[in-house]
Amino acid sequence: MPEGNKPNVLLINTDHWSAPLMGCAGARGIMTPTLDQLAADGIRFTNILSDCPVCIPARRSLMTGMTPRSHGDRVYTDFLPLPPVKTLAQCFRDAGYQAFAVGKLHVYPQRDRIGFDDVILCEEARYYLGAVDDYQLWLADHGFLGQEYMHGMSNNEYYTRPWHLSEEAHNTNWTTNEMIRTIKRRDPHKPLMLYLSYIHPHPPLVPLQCYWDMYEDIDIPEPVRGDWLEEDAAYLRLFANADEKYTPADIRRARRAFYAQCTHIDHQMRLVIGTLREEGLLQNTIIGFVSDHGDMLFDHNMVAKRCFYRGSANVPLILTGNPLEKYAGTVSDTLGTLEDVMPTLLELCGLPVPETVEGKSLLGDGRPEMVFGEISEGLAATRMASDARYKLIYYPYGNLSQLFDMQEDPEELHNLASDPALASVRERLTAFLIAHLHGGDESWVKDGKLCGLPNPNPIPVHHNYGLTNQRGGHWPTPPHAQRMP
């Protein structure tokens, strides 16, 4: 079958990029001209949630269309293979597509292709999982053996400095170049399913100097702080403790570096799109842009993910391309989750959706009125129930509920859980949340009411990782791999 008879697909995934952080979403200070144009040419979804906002579980949902309850991870489990179901890539291959991935997969084993014909891997130097990835091999071939983390910055901290190697050695550029080569090496008789997965803007915050400089005179907004933060501080200290580690100057620098890494990705995407155009593929290619989750980036005194506030859980989703031209310029507030991406792409291409998929096409009928989210267990557990307007966040530690009106208060500045005018809303979302508790969470309920966990003394635990995930020098040999028991 010659290429062109079926639409090609390019799905671009990033790590830690929240939905509001785009020019087309109204963000002040951020420069995202490529994403802004894709949104103008297609449809941008504003209400897509990562229902387990941390890397591995979110990516399992994206690639299988299954909820965390079904795919088996709501925590972040390194040594856990995907369930034996058809993945997004396998569905396209079964339909005659060639399917290629470049960048970060974050699955186990690392060299599991999860249905792709080939994977060119960039895995953040996770040698302990048992593999040396293709980016590390490229660095070695080009005289940079073991130097990818010699900048000294950590994967889970928010200190910053410019990138320390040459521009072409930055993993964002490397990932782009490898995808360009992959497109040029395609079989011309088959349609393409491409998965382009960038590591950033996830820390380490090491932007190229030119992108750091680009934001020198840009007014980057200050983080927001909810008026509930002090009232609920005793229970949220596990999460809201960034001020114990970072100074105001650290925060300003971190946000500037984060924005710089976003713009770097945005500009690199143009090269991939340009390659599709020059290869005669762009007019018949569906382009999707998504992220596994966002980053709090110091909003509400929090960083990173693992919570259900907008910065962490609300992810971008843009779909564009000639097959979607009727949606040009559309902004949709349809409620959805990452599980919905797989069936949406399959249905756009006229392909069957496996029975194991729990998501629903975002462009079809029968959309759910509410969604459930879960992240972590024990004292750090958080659960969420949301409809298209209101979001309920529940912390069993402290038996704390928060209710936000996402239409009137998108930055979640005001907790409305005790507002009598919204009692029925809270009851409805709470009932939905209780109905979806599982795996021992049922113990948080007594006589049909949430009772949470017994309150220990304030938890002396910091959620900012510190040096616990710091990489080292990787020459002449990488760290020994930790094998699955």
Side-chain angles (χ1 to χ4, degrees):
M1 179 180 295
E3 64 182 14
N5 289 9
K6 295 180 180 178
N8 305 296
V9 174
L10 168 63
L11 179 60
I12 303 170
N13 190 27
T14 59
D15 201 324
H16 276 234
W17 196 318
S18 61
L21 200 57
M22 300 183 290
C24 55
R28 181 165 57 89
I30 189 78
M31 290 177 275
T32 55
T34 311
L35 292 176
D36 298 347
Q37 186 62 57
L38 292 178
D41 293 340
I43 180 170
R44 177 171 64 89
F45 294 89
T46 63
N47 206 7
I48 307 300
L49 299 175
S50 180
D51 52 359
C52 189
V54 67
C55 298
I56 294 176
R59 290 163 187 268
R60 290 167 72 90
S61 292
L62 182 66
M63 287 296 162
T64 65
M66 300 169 70
T67 63
R69 180 173 187 165
S70 297
H71 67 54
D73 190 8
R74 61 179 180 181
V75 178
Y76 178 102
T77 308
D78 276 327
F79 298 96
L80 183 66
L82 281 179
V85 298
K86 275 193 178 182
T87 61
L88 175 64
Q90 190 64 56
C91 288
F92 276 97
R93 284 184 66 201
D94 288 349
Y97 279 71
Q98 51 194 316
F100 299 113
V102 176
K104 178 178 178 179
L105 279 192
H106 218 167
V107 298
Y108 185 83
Q110 286 179 299
R111 288 295 181 178
D112 185 346
R113 294 183 179 178
I114 66 167
F116 288 100
D117 287 285
D118 195 11
V119 176
I120 303 175
L121 203 60
C122 184
E123 285 286 289
E124 300 171 290
R126 289 189 173 88
Y127 292 107
Y128 65 91
L129 293 177
V132 174
D133 67 37
D134 297 293
Y135 173 58
Q136 293 154 354
L137 293 173
W138 183 94
L139 289 173
D141 288 341
H142 291 79
F144 302 115
L145 174 63
Q147 298 182 41
E148 62 267 47
Y149 277 88
M150 296 304 285
H151 48 64
M153 299 296 100
S154 170
N155 276 45
N156 286 299
E157 288 188 298
Y158 289 76
Y159 302 115
T160 180
R161 55 150 289 178
W163 179 246
H164 61 303
L165 300 177
S166 61
E167 185 167 328
E168 72 272 14
H170 195 287
N171 57 61
T172 295
N173 294 61
W174 178 87
T175 301
T176 299
N177 290 333
E178 290 298 325
M179 178 53 76
I180 290 171
R181 290 167 60 90
T182 296
I183 294 169
K184 291 179 178 294
R185 295 180 63 249
R186 72 192 184 280
D187 181 342
H189 299 288
K190 294 182 178 182
L192 280 169
M193 192 281 159
L194 303 170
Y195 179 62
L196 173 60
S197 182
Y198 290 106
I199 285 176
H200 295 298
H202 188 306
L205 300 182
V206 286
L208 293 177
Q209 183 70 51
C210 59
Y211 284 97
W212 172 261
D213 294 343
M214 190 179 296
Y215 279 91
E216 181 176 7
D217 299 320
I218 299 298
D219 181 19
I220 295 176
E222 294 292 322
V224 301
R225 292 176 68 93
D227 59 16
W228 43 267
L229 198 54
E230 296 305 320
E231 179 182 352
D232 298 333
Y235 303 119
L236 294 180
R237 210 62 192 156
L238 177 62
F239 306 94
N241 54 47
D243 59 357
E244 297 177 10
K245 185 178 182 69
Y246 301 100
T247 68
D250 292 332
I251 293 171
R252 288 191 297 271
R253 289 173 58 83
R255 288 171 69 86
R256 176 178 172 181
F258 196 95
Y259 279 40
Q261 292 192 159
C262 289
T263 300
H264 184 190
I265 291 171
D266 182 275
H267 288 179
Q268 287 288 298
M269 287 166 48
R270 304 174 80 86
L271 296 172
V272 177
I273 294 169
T275 300
L276 290 173
R277 185 188 69 81
E278 292 175 343
E279 294 292 313
L281 302 174
L282 187 59
Q283 289 302 310
N284 192 34
T285 298
I286 296 168
I287 300 175
F289 175 78
V290 71
S291 188
D292 55 355
H293 50 75
D295 193 304
M296 293 302 293
L297 206 57
F298 299 94
D299 283 346
H300 311 304
N301 201 24
M302 302 180 191
V303 292
K305 58 268 188 179
R306 294 181 182 267
C307 62
F308 286 105
Y309 303 107
R310 180 176 72 155
S312 169
N314 185 197
V315 296
L317 179 61
I318 297 172
L319 296 174
T320 189
N322 193 48
L324 290 127
E325 60 183 359
K326 67 179 180 180
Y327 295 104
T330 300
V331 178
S332 172
D333 63 358
T334 297
L335 178 66
T337 63
L338 287 176
E339 290 89 335
D340 298 325
V341 174
M342 178 175 173
T344 301
L345 292 176
L346 291 174
E347 291 189 8
L348 279 171
C349 296
L351 305 183
V353 178
E355 293 182 358
T356 53
V357 170
E358 295 167 279
K360 303 290 183 183
S361 172
L362 291 161
L363 300 173
D365 299 324
R367 299 294 311 154
E369 294 183 1
M370 291 184 280
V371 297
F372 172 74
E374 53 183 333
I375 178 68
S376 302
E377 296 174 343
L379 296 180
T382 313
R383 304 294 179 258
M384 180 272 297
S386 182
D387 62 18
R389 177 169 180 176
Y390 295 98
K391 181 197 296 180
L392 179 77
I393 299 175
Y394 179 66
Y395 297 95
Y397 169 59
N399 195 32
L400 173 64
S401 293
Q402 296 178 321
L403 180 67
F404 298 103
D405 184 340
M406 300 306 297
Q407 179 176 301
E408 299 297 324
D409 180 28
E411 293 183 326
E412 301 161 319
L413 301 178
H414 312 295
N415 178 14
L416 304 175
S418 60
D419 187 339
L422 295 175
S424 62
V425 173
R426 175 176 174 173
E427 291 171 2
R428 177 169 54 86
L429 291 173
T430 300
F432 181 81
L433 186 146
I434 289 174
H436 285 76
L437 295 177
H438 68 97
D441 297 353
E442 302 91 336
S443 64
W444 303 339
V445 182
K446 184 177 181 180
D447 298 327
K449 303 288 186 181
L450 288 169
C451 62
L453 291 168
N455 292 347
N457 293 324
I459 312 173
V461 176
H462 293 275
H463 194 62
N464 290 334
Y465 297 100
L467 297 174
T468 58
N469 201 37
Q470 177 68 46
R471 305 293 199 267
H474 295 154
W475 186 90
T477 57
H480 294 294
Q482 299 174 10
R483 300 292 183 180
M484 178 184 287

